[in-house]
Amino acid sequence: MPITAYSGGTSLEGQFRSSPVGGICIDMGGMNKILEIHEEDSDLVCQPGAGWMDINDTLKEKGLQLFFPLDPAPSATIGGMLSNGCSGTNAVRYGTAKAEWFLNATVVLPSGEVIKTRRRARKSSAGFDTTKLFIGAEGTLGIVTEVTIRLAPLLPTTVAVVHFPDVRKAAAAVREILNRGVGIECVELVDNEFMRATNLVHAPAPPRYPELDSLFFKLQGPTPASLAETARIVKEVVSKPEYGGSGWKLAKNDEEAADIWMDRKNAHYAGLALLPGARGWATDVCVPISKLPDLVYETKKDIKDSGLTSHIVGHVGDGNFHALLLFRDDAELAVVRDVVHRMVERAIALDGTCTGEHGVGMGKKEYLYEELGEGTVELMKAIKRTIDPLNLFNPGKLYPEEKDSKHPRP
Amino acid sequence: MPITAYSGGTSLEGQFRSSPVGGICIDMGGMNKILEIHEEDSDLVCQPGAGWMDINDTLKEKGLQLFFPLDPAPSATIGGMLSNGCSGTNAVRYGTAKAEWFLNATVVLPSGEVIKTRRRARKSSAGFDTTKLFIGAEGTLGIVTEVTIRLAPLLPTTVAVVHFPDVRKAAAAVREILNRGVGIECVELVDNEFMRATNLVHAPAPPRYPELDSLFFKLQGPTPASLAETARIVKEVVSKPEYGGSGWKLAKNDEEAADIWMDRKNAHYAGLALLPGARGWATDVCVPISKLPDLVYETKKDIKDSGLTSHIVGHVGDGNFHALLLFRDDAELAVVRDVVHRMVERAIALDGTCTGEHGVGMGKKEYLYEELGEGTVELMKAIKRTIDPLNLFNPGKLYPEEKDSKHPRP
Ligand SMILES: Cc1cc2nc3c(=O)[nH]c(=O)nc-3n(C[C@H](O)[C@H](O)[C@H](O)COP(=O)(O)OP(=O)(O)OC[C@H]3O[C@@H](n4cnc5c(N)ncnc54)[C@H](O)[C@@H]3O)c2cc1C
Ligand SMILES: Cc1cc2nc3c(=O)[nH]c(=O)nc-3n(C[C@H](O)[C@H](O)[C@H](O)COP(=O)(O)OP(=O)(O)OC[C@H]3O[C@@H](n4cnc5c(N)ncnc54)[C@H](O)[C@@H]3O)c2cc1C
């Protein structure tokens, strides 16, 4: 009988929360305890249902200057984040779930055996790391029941926002800033439609932002002096004539910083304001960062030509962006599907991936043969068969059926 | 017929360069070309025999402010580093080979099939990352023939050295410094014996350093002001009475910085100066960082009690340390083996690993059942059998024979 674990339930794997194919559904949400905090080692042991925001709140309440830096949806949980291979706005500074934030995992295999992938040392070269097998496997190889996560020092931050003539200039400015090595915790690209949505959310107040392609920065530094220096350098770079950044706004205090950042974090819900009554299809792709402007341009043109409403938000430091495509009925949904299909095909053609952080689920598995090649997909399937010969865990997800099933669409 | 690939030949897997079990030996050293440099994307495609130092020299010659931050032995190569799951002094800032530095690998599987694990996007959540299967697999799952590596911005650095009453105080100072979030690229713990060896290397010049447990820092910052601020904060922390750091020396210029750092990098060869005519057995273990001082203390005591000569060098920000144990004959070699055995057992008992960065090879596979548990080792072996059913690639390495083969020593 098929078995699916879930906890946060915020996954957007291949668009839409992918529903299990019947069978047993195990809600891991109750297993949400923090079991051990090792302040001295900057790590923590918890159950899979523990939310990353709850963990960070607990650390703050205890007065510890530590946090867990992976930041997908606010209600996402450690088990789902590991299984999804998530990331978020902090990835430009801290990397993704596939880096070294998950030190080990205790996993129930389909055979019923319970394994612990590693001990608690920060690094090990004792063979390939079996933890990584479960990161991004979307629950198809095992059910995660306990995790040791690494924590990072919590540093002072501030927030800034600045506007650009177009996406290409914004992306070029980001490249120069990242190469300067200053303290950037996050840098988020948003398009004019995102700004329009945000202004709508705040209406009837006067518009908060010019409706232009823009960057939101979260700056980070150990001292006020270094934060001020970072802000000065970032402002200097974005203001160069070749980038044309305008309207630079640096938060005056922590409240203002939180307020501006909330506008960025509210992207999903603000987007829905663009078309009252519509539902949103959130999708993401990722490409080498130099290709991002082309991809955003072509995607925006496609969206416009297709008559859809959408906004775009990008983790621009990673070459990753999300489109929230709005639809009100089945006819519009069909158009959305086609736009997503072309967006994915474009990303793969640019040496990118069908999903930077949302996962494959049932909606994107058809692209894996094209993206990864037959040999790599067959290797993934061989590993799945080795670990789960009866195909018990999350059947139907992640692994494409057969090579010729790709490209069912025109 | 068994097949072993090698290139840099610097691996210390489980002590000593592990020799292949007869069969075909493929020297990848000739495949040492850089194939593509994508400056805009901060990545590069190369063949497996390309050395990390050659890559960094090439980037410098081309005037690019980029570098590859994994830094094991100077003559190590990308294919060996990937296969070994290496790290080095930069790991405290940049993480290890198991983080996100290897974007993809082209691999010849034992079946003869050639796969490419991923495309070139910086991140992807399109399933579990098969690249990671080959990282640390020590050539047992495939032969790597091409790799895309991610590069980091090259930033101004400087170097400092400071001395402590003991390892515990040095390690405690490191913890506070890392939590301050200042720009630390490397922080290396060395013991009094290391300092003695280094003074011997420079003799007959007067002693360069007091023969005390010490820290070498490489500081990093985008601007002279931030570098100076970092140096000020680090000096302030180490000088606190509870840590008792003394003799703080900050390099006055780039030449002096390179000169001091060379003393640290020369550890292996300097160590041999402690006992003329001796050979050295280099071994490494890694534990949660709070356990490092205990482990170093007990290991040093054991070395002394056993009548051996050795020095200790630690990547203290990661909880990882190396001992270079000297021996002149088979009798001393037998004592060395026993000391290493007890050091590994101690590390595992402290929730650590038998190897932080040197690998398993043939010398440490007996510890994997104890360290990882039977289920995890059997999972690794099942994956090996799936990919290499005829056991063609590097047979005899990494995977322990059977559970009861562990602990052959008293
Ligand atoms: C508003 C919004 C914003 C988002 N922003 C981001 C973002 O910036 N970055 C990003 O990466 N994602 C983002 N996401 C997607 C989502 O938050 C992430 O994919 C997250 O990792 C899912 O975690 P979860 O706990 O909700 O997992 P769930 O949705 O519960 O599960 C995710 C998958 O993991 C499996 N699973 C869950 N628990 C376990 C377990 N214990 N063992 C084995 N398998 C398990 C499930 O079967 C499922 O396949 C966003 C989603 C929303 C709604
Ligand atoms: C002085 C000194 C200092 C060192 N310092 C460090 C340190 O700080 N950190 C650290 O991590 N290590 C260190 N090491 C160990 C060593 O440098 C690393 O393990 C390094 O990653 C080995 O790279 P290599 O190219 O020399 O690999 P090799 O020794 O050639 O091979 C290593 C392993 O990988 C396999 N292999 C090689 N090429 C391929 C390929 N193309 N495809 C598949 N398998 C392959 C080999 O069969 C072997 O199992 C040090 C070694 C020395 C001698």
Side-chain angles (χ1 to χ4, degrees), chain B residues 4-13 17 28 48 71-73 76-77 79-81 83-84 86-88 138-139 142-144 268-269 315 322 357-358 394 397:
Chain B
T4 300
Y6 70 98
S7 44
T10 69
S11 147
L12 300 163
E13 289 166 355
R17 324 235 158 142
M28 309 299 286
D71 61 334
T77 63
M81 292 160 68
S83 303
N84 242 119
C86 80
S87 42
E138 300 183 358
I143 296 180
V144 177
H268 193 88
Y269 305 100
H315 303 321
H322 302 187
E357 52 180 37
H358 285 174
N394 259 348
K397 264 200 194 170

Side-chain angles (χ1 to χ4, degrees), chain A residues 41 96 98 100 127 223 229 290, chain B residues 41 96 100 127 223 229 290:
Chain A
D41 298 320
T96 78
K98 294 183 176 179
E100 299 178 288
T223 63
E229 185 186 49
S290 67
Chain B
D41 298 320
T96 79
E100 300 179 288
T223 62
E229 185 186 49
S290 67

Side-chain angles (χ1 to χ4, degrees), chain A residues 39 41 87 96 98 100 116 119 123-125 127 175 223 229 290 348 351 353 355 357 359 371 376 386, chain B residues 39 41 87 96 98 100 116 119 123-125 127 175 223 229 290 348 353 355 357 359 371 376 386:
Chain A
E39 186 192 357
D41 298 320
S87 43
T96 78
K98 294 183 176 179
E100 299 178 288
K116 184 169 170 180
R119 285 169 174 259
K123 68 186 197 188
S124 170
S125 59
R175 209 189 105 70
T223 63
E229 185 186 49
S290 67
I348 294 177
D351 222 354
T353 172
T355 173
E357 52 180 37
E371 177 178 331
T376 299
T386 300
Chain B
E39 185 192 357
D41 298 320
S87 42
T96 79
K98 293 182 175 179
E100 300 179 288
K116 184 168 171 182
R119 287 170 173 257
K123 68 184 198 190
S124 170
S125 59
R175 208 189 107 69
T223 62
E229 185 186 49
S290 67
I348 294 176
T353 172
T355 175
E357 52 180 37
E371 177 177 331
T376 299
T386 300

